[in-house]
Amino acid sequence: MKIVVIGGTGLIGSKTVAILREGGHEVVAASPKSGVNTVTGEGLAEAMAGAQAVIDLTNSPSFEDKAVLEFFETSGRNLLRAEAAAGVRHHVALSIVAIDRTDNGYFRAKVAQEKLITASGIPYTIIRATQFLEFLGGIANSSADANIVRLPPVLFQPIAADDIAPIVAEVALAAPRNGIIEIAGPERAPFNEIIARYLKAVGDPREVVSDPKARYWGGRVEEHSLVPLGEARLGRIDLDDWLRRSRAGA
Ligand SMILES: NC(=O)c1ccc[n+]([C@@H]2O[C@H](COP(=O)([O-])OP(=O)(O)OC[C@H]3O[C@@H](n4cnc5c(N)ncnc54)[C@H](OP(=O)(O)O)[C@@H]3O)[C@@H](O)[C@H]2O)c1
């Protein structure tokens, strides 16, 4: 089966490409570096030729509100147009749990990306994941003021990239669901506690303060704002396992 992974050089993309290739599939790992650009449209038609499935694992180079919205709208439009022209039968995209329940600029852009997919007429599966364990450092930095990291004590359930990629590959090989599936990590705990454990483990001396009014990327969050509300598929790697694997260079 020919599968195009757009964003095939990224964190989740590179792992997904490797899994699919191991399974004997013909995989195009597409990204601007390989001459495929979803914003300009460069190389899209050539990459799509003969593909049965396309997995969108792109990310915006800028997380600024306007730039990220423009990225996911333009990228999504160009990509879906090229897929329709090539007769692609399954579009898979990685989105985020709770983007329609929590308001911030990045989540608004992911909502726009999902809307384009559902309106495209191309059979699809959207995978909504919770925050990546690989993203905890970025979250701490975005919530830090000097040596204090302020986070709300809401529930948090991060998932490892090594748990996500096999699910993305499996979903791409299965029939389109024309719907959303949710995936999350195996451990659910207060946001501030998980980030505090992470910072301590990596030797970061910043202090984490629990602050119910602290925002997440500028958006207000409540107890269940960032975790799946219904049925979710769970990964196997929790924070401690992930830290052990990271130290071992896995
Ligand atoms: N971070 C989280 O906690 C989280 C949680 C749930 C879902 N997600 C979603 O997961 C997805 C993948 O994230 P990631 O961390 O794996 O991303 P990443 O490591 O930042 O990789 C982004 C990929 O997008 C490619 N790309 C950028 N601009 C492009 C363009 N114009 N045309 C084609 N490809 C382009 C990059 O190519 P180059 O290498 O050539 O630059 C790279 O391969 C994102 O859509 C994100 O919203 C993230």
Side-chain angles (χ1 to χ4, degrees):
M1 178 165 170
K2 178 175 171 184
I3 302 161
V4 180
V5 181
I6 306 276
T9 54
L11 173 65
I12 308 298
S14 54
K15 290 178 188 288
T16 305
V17 165
I19 292 166
L20 289 167
R21 282 191 179 144
E22 264 168 38
H25 298 282
E26 183 192 344
V27 185
V28 178
S31 84
K33 280 179 203 140
S34 66
V36 182
N37 191 319
T38 52
V39 171
T40 62
E42 181 200 352
L44 275 179
E46 295 82 348
M48 296 297 148
Q52 280 105 317
V54 171
I55 309 176
D56 184 2
L57 297 171
T58 56
N59 207 354
S60 170
S62 163
F63 286 9
E64 186 273 321
D65 285 6
K66 194 164 166 278
V68 75
L69 181 64
E70 221 167 87
F71 175 86
F72 279 114
E73 284 191 332
T74 310
S75 172
R77 250 186 226 114
N78 287 338
L79 186 53
L80 292 161
R81 193 181 300 129
E83 287 177 36
V88 170
R89 299 307 304 149
H90 193 183
H91 178 92
V92 176
L94 187 58
S95 189
I96 309 176
V97 165
I99 50 169
D100 46 1
R101 293 188 273 122
T102 306
D103 187 43
N104 67 54
Y106 191 86
F107 281 15
R108 280 194 292 276
K110 295 297 284 185
V111 168
Q113 179 190 23
E114 286 194 1
K115 279 192 178 145
L116 288 168
I117 295 167
T118 54
S120 70
I122 298 170
Y124 69 92
T125 308
I126 292 169
I127 303 166
R128 285 188 179 176
T130 51
Q131 286 64 40
F132 304 164
L133 280 160
E134 287 76 4
F135 191 46
L136 297 189
I139 291 173
N141 293 341
S142 79
S143 309
D145 185 3
N147 281 328
I148 303 287
V149 177
R150 258 173 225 289
L151 286 164
V154 302
L155 292 171
F156 195 57
Q157 200 172 343
I159 183 167
D162 279 328
D163 273 334
I164 298 171
I167 296 175
V168 172
E170 184 191 310
V171 164
L173 296 173
R177 295 182 181 226
N178 293 314
I180 295 171
I181 65 162
E182 296 203 321
I183 63 174
E187 181 185 13
R188 185 181 278 203
F191 201 171
N192 53 305
E193 281 180 31
I194 290 191
I195 300 291
R197 275 169 54 205
Y198 165 80
L199 292 180
K200 190 168 170 217
V202 299
D204 187 320
R206 287 178 292 182
E207 184 193 349
V208 177
V209 170
S210 166
D211 176 355
K213 291 209 176 95
R215 292 173 171 239
Y216 179 64
W217 294 105
R220 246 190 226 106
V221 280
E222 290 163 5
E223 190 178 7
H224 290 91
S225 291
L226 297 174
V227 292
L229 293 182
E231 196 190 321
R233 190 158 159 186
L234 301 184
R236 289 170 298 117
I237 303 165
D238 65 15
L239 175 59
D240 291 339
D241 295 332
W242 181 81
L243 288 163
R244 264 192 299 275
R245 292 161 71 109
S246 307
R247 278 189 210 108

Tab-separated table of all heavy atoms in Angstrom, residues 1 4 25 48 65 132 138 142 146 200 204 218:
chain	number	residue	atom	x	y	z
A	1	MET	N	0.852	-1.202	0.000
A	1	MET	CA	0.000	0.000	0.000
A	1	MET	C	0.888	1.254	0.000
A	1	MET	O	1.843	1.311	0.774
A	1	MET	CB	-0.862	-0.039	1.274
A	1	MET	CG	-1.774	1.115	1.505
A	1	MET	SD	-2.987	0.644	2.785
A	1	MET	CE	-3.744	2.213	3.119
A	4	VAL	N	1.398	8.298	1.983
A	4	VAL	CA	2.195	9.520	2.057
A	4	VAL	C	2.087	10.072	3.475
A	4	VAL	O	0.981	10.287	3.979
A	4	VAL	CB	1.696	10.576	1.046
A	4	VAL	CG1	2.533	11.845	1.142
A	4	VAL	CG2	1.747	10.023	-0.380
A	25	HIS	N	5.317	-1.419	3.604
A	25	HIS	CA	4.534	-0.494	2.782
A	25	HIS	C	5.436	0.490	2.041
A	25	HIS	O	6.560	0.764	2.472
A	25	HIS	CB	3.523	0.258	3.656
A	25	HIS	CG	2.555	-0.674	4.297
A	25	HIS	ND1	1.495	-1.223	3.615
A	25	HIS	CD2	2.517	-1.220	5.546
A	25	HIS	CE1	0.844	-2.048	4.417
A	25	HIS	NE2	1.444	-2.064	5.593
A	48	MET	N	1.419	12.505	-4.181
A	48	MET	CA	0.123	11.814	-4.023
A	48	MET	C	-0.116	10.727	-5.050
A	48	MET	O	-0.975	9.866	-4.830
A	48	MET	CB	-1.040	12.792	-4.230
A	48	MET	CG	-1.164	13.903	-3.267
A	48	MET	SD	-1.451	13.245	-1.669
A	48	MET	CE	-0.627	14.479	-0.740
A	65	ASP	N	-0.786	33.077	17.215
A	65	ASP	CA	-2.198	32.807	16.881
A	65	ASP	C	-2.514	32.891	15.391
A	65	ASP	O	-3.091	31.983	14.801
A	65	ASP	CB	-3.120	33.794	17.628
A	65	ASP	CG	-3.251	33.461	19.104
A	65	ASP	OD1	-2.535	32.547	19.564
A	65	ASP	OD2	-4.050	34.132	19.782
A	132	PHE	N	1.903	15.624	24.226
A	132	PHE	CA	3.008	14.664	24.154
A	132	PHE	C	3.897	14.809	25.396
A	132	PHE	O	4.187	15.943	25.817
A	132	PHE	CB	3.899	14.930	22.933
A	132	PHE	CG	3.214	14.932	21.602
A	132	PHE	CD1	3.850	15.482	20.492
A	132	PHE	CD2	1.964	14.371	21.425
A	132	PHE	CE1	3.242	15.484	19.249
A	132	PHE	CE2	1.341	14.368	20.179
A	132	PHE	CZ	1.989	14.937	19.089
A	138	GLY	N	8.489	22.219	26.848
A	138	GLY	CA	7.932	23.388	26.149
A	138	GLY	C	6.787	24.002	26.947
A	138	GLY	O	6.645	25.229	27.028
A	142	SER	N	6.595	27.731	28.547
A	142	SER	CA	5.526	28.668	28.183
A	142	SER	C	4.775	29.164	29.422
A	142	SER	O	4.080	30.172	29.370
A	142	SER	CB	4.545	28.012	27.216
A	142	SER	OG	3.658	27.185	27.918
A	146	ALA	N	10.386	33.857	35.163
A	146	ALA	CA	11.669	33.679	35.867
A	146	ALA	C	11.753	32.234	36.380
A	146	ALA	O	11.614	31.306	35.597
A	146	ALA	CB	11.833	34.714	36.969
A	200	LYS	N	11.879	18.108	38.101
A	200	LYS	CA	12.800	17.538	39.102
A	200	LYS	C	13.661	16.451	38.455
A	200	LYS	O	14.881	16.410	38.634
A	200	LYS	CB	11.968	16.954	40.260
A	200	LYS	CG	12.804	16.576	41.433
A	200	LYS	CD	11.951	16.282	42.659
A	200	LYS	CE	12.869	15.679	43.710
A	200	LYS	NZ	12.221	14.633	44.474
A	204	ASP	N	15.858	20.433	36.505
A	204	ASP	CA	15.497	21.838	36.275
A	204	ASP	C	15.060	22.423	37.626
A	204	ASP	O	14.097	21.939	38.227
A	204	ASP	CB	14.345	21.892	35.261
A	204	ASP	CG	14.007	23.309	34.825
A	204	ASP	OD1	14.019	24.221	35.676
A	204	ASP	OD2	13.696	23.507	33.633
A	218	GLY	N	-2.675	30.630	27.183
A	218	GLY	CA	-3.573	31.786	27.148
A	218	GLY	C	-5.036	31.442	27.337
A	218	GLY	O	-5.888	32.320	27.447
